[in-house]
Amino acid sequence: MSDPLPAVPSPAPPLVIVDGANVVGSRPDGWWRDRRGAAERLRDRLAGEGLPGHPEPVEIVLVVEGAARGVTSVPGVRVESASGSGDDRIVELVAGSPGRARLVVTADRELRRRVTELGAEVTGPRAVWG
């Protein structure tokens, strides 16, 4: 009897990291009156609809900061509360996932530069809002 072939691990799904403050702030819908509530609405939208145009399974991470800290994760969206700068936490997440497809959702030019230097792709808030 021959030895079974070793199992080949399936590649991890693409990692989608959403800059919560930047995406929430891209729409003048009164988010500034309730930043935590706005982050929860964004989280729920991502959990319900995913990322339009990306039908394959993806891992979605919503990074929140400031008044939105403490928003909890839900099935389909992991929420990371940045202890300091949300941008720095996003860069850490990108850097911590080498060899994996990574997409960062933000309009912040400096953050875009930092994550593309690490090999991530970027898209703007319209990717979430459609």
Side-chain angles (χ1 to χ4, degrees):
M1 185 168 188
S2 64
D3 291 332
L5 294 173
V8 177
S10 62
L15 178 62
V16 176
I17 305 168
V18 179
D19 180 352
N22 188 267
V23 172
V24 164
S26 71
R27 294 176 56 165
D29 63 359
W31 58 265
W32 51 90
R33 289 188 293 269
D34 180 11
R35 293 171 193 253
R36 184 181 175 120
E40 289 171 338
R41 288 188 297 279
L42 174 58
R43 176 206 59 199
D44 295 347
R45 180 183 181 100
L46 291 166
E49 299 178 21
L51 190 66
H54 291 82
E56 75 272 7
V58 295
E59 179 184 352
I60 299 175
V61 178
L62 173 62
V63 176
V64 297
E65 62 187 350
R69 281 189 197 111
V71 170
T72 59
S73 298
V74 296
V77 178
R78 185 175 92 226
V79 179
E80 291 270 337
S81 291
S83 60
S85 161
D87 291 1
D88 289 347
R89 182 65 186 130
I90 291 168
V91 170
E92 289 171 1
L93 290 167
V94 169
S97 301
R100 181 177 184 188
R102 296 153 298 172
L103 175 66
V104 176
V105 182
T106 187
D108 182 297
R109 284 187 215 140
E110 177 61 16
L111 179 57
R112 284 173 170 253
R113 182 194 64 75
R114 292 173 69 191
V115 298
T116 56
E117 286 178 354
L118 295 170
E121 293 184 37
V122 294
T123 191
R126 286 186 204 177
V128 171
W129 303 125

